[in-house]
Amino acid sequence: MIFLLWNSNLFSQTRNEFWSKVNLTKKVSKNLAIGMDVQHRRQANFYEHDKNIFHFGLTNSIRIWTYYTLKQNWSIVASPIAYFENKSIINAPGVRPISKELRSMIGIGKNLFFQKLVNQSRLIYEMDLLNFNYPETLIKHRYRLLNNFILPIKAIDLTHSLNYTFYNEIFFKTQNGMSSFDQNHLYSGIQFKWIQSNFNVGYQYTYQKLIKDYINKNQILLSLNFTW
């Protein structure tokens, strides 16, 4: 499902960002795995029409994960605690006040196989404690639906392959008693996979609703996922 509103009059800003993530997953048993990821994001100064996506820091985070595999390619995923530190640019000089948040997530996923094509779907409920370092702390609930496709490009050998990946993730939110669309992510990229680990690089377009308007974001994504 793709949720994009192509009305250019609603776009107030275009933002350019760089996202990076390292994810570590350890298999505890046949069905259970635990993991942790760390993220670092950077941003250009959109007030100055800056194109340097590495210019300013944007986000640092750490999350703890638990994965449990069920029958028929179903799975349960949970992140009991996650810490995010965000720095949003508020003016042309690039002033970036720090806001901190805690997140907790739980969801269910399903894998489908169509010959060589893999489809991974996931539905997650997320609760965010926003701005807990300020007096005006807020609670936000988010509902995330991800649909991811992996298509093999070339099998290098029995344990190494090159793949094309595409996903769409839509977010809805409830905050201050109001429910609405939050944002949509569209990603296209290349994956290099070895055994159970992989390296990914690609482009993500984000369409996001703020309080009174909408913004669009161009994001370069880089991620490393290690599983053992």
Side-chain angles (χ1 to χ4, degrees):
M1 178 170 59
I2 298 176
F3 190 94
L4 293 175
L5 304 177
W6 297 103
N7 186 345
S8 59
N9 293 327
L10 296 176
F11 291 157
S12 61
Q13 302 152 350
T14 296
R15 306 189 184 190
N16 301 296
E17 301 173 353
F18 170 78
W19 290 17
S20 63
K21 180 176 70 172
V22 176
N23 184 58
L24 307 173
T25 304
K26 169 64 175 176
K27 290 189 175 182
V28 178
S29 67
K30 178 181 178 181
N31 299 97
L32 179 65
I34 58 175
M36 177 187 73
D37 73 45
V38 292
Q39 297 185 80
H40 178 67
R41 303 175 185 173
R42 303 195 67 81
Q43 62 185 323
N45 187 345
F46 56 91
Y47 281 100
E48 294 291 320
H49 305 288
D50 183 14
K51 301 299 183 181
N52 181 5
I53 59 176
F54 304 102
H55 198 162
F56 293 106
L58 171 60
T59 298
N60 291 309
S61 74
I62 182 169
R63 292 184 291 192
I64 304 299
W65 292 96
T66 300
Y67 311 92
Y68 192 82
T69 302
L70 303 171
K71 295 180 179 180
Q72 298 180 333
N73 297 315
W74 287 93
S75 62
I76 295 175
V77 58
S79 175
I81 186 69
Y83 170 78
F84 281 72
E85 183 178 278
N86 305 299
K87 299 177 182 178
S88 299
I89 297 174
I90 61 173
N91 55 29
V95 175
R96 296 166 295 132
I98 297 175
S99 64
K100 299 180 180 180
E101 62 180 281
L102 295 174
R103 298 182 184 179
S104 186
M105 293 173 276
I106 188 168
I108 189 166
K110 169 74 171 179
N111 291 346
L112 296 173
F113 301 90
F114 306 95
Q115 296 183 349
K116 294 183 178 181
L117 179 67
V118 179
N119 172 233
Q120 301 169 328
S121 298
R122 186 184 68 188
L123 179 63
I124 282 184
Y125 162 72
E126 174 185 302
M127 184 176 70
D128 302 346
L129 180 64
L130 306 174
N131 299 325
F132 69 83
N133 56 319
Y134 293 108
E136 60 273 18
T137 299
L138 300 172
I139 294 179
K140 178 172 68 175
H141 306 271
R142 292 206 300 184
Y143 321 96
R144 306 169 50 168
L145 178 61
L146 171 72
N147 203 6
N148 182 41
F149 295 90
I150 303 174
L151 178 66
I153 297 175
K154 181 177 179 58
I156 300 172
D157 55 34
L158 293 178
T159 58
H160 297 74
S161 64
L162 189 66
N163 305 315
Y164 169 72
T165 62
F166 169 84
Y167 67 69
N168 178 73
E169 186 170 21
I170 184 170
F171 299 67
F172 290 90
K173 67 180 180 181
T174 300
Q175 186 174 332
N176 296 326
M178 300 289 293
S179 296
S180 66
F181 167 78
D182 181 31
Q183 58 187 283
N184 196 105
H185 293 172
L186 277 174
Y187 170 85
S188 178
I190 298 297
Q191 177 189 83
F192 175 68
K193 184 177 181 180
W194 67 97
I195 311 177
Q196 300 179 85
S197 302
N198 58 75
F199 169 76
N200 301 268
V201 60
Y203 166 78
Q204 178 174 275
Y205 171 76
T206 295
Y207 178 83
Q208 183 174 0
K209 181 181 179 181
L210 298 183
I211 297 175
K212 294 182 179 180
D213 56 7
Y214 293 81
I215 60 174
N216 56 354
K217 299 180 179 181
N218 300 304
Q219 298 155 329
I220 300 299
L221 271 63
L222 184 152
S223 66
L224 264 171
N225 302 290
F226 295 101
T227 301
W228 69 97

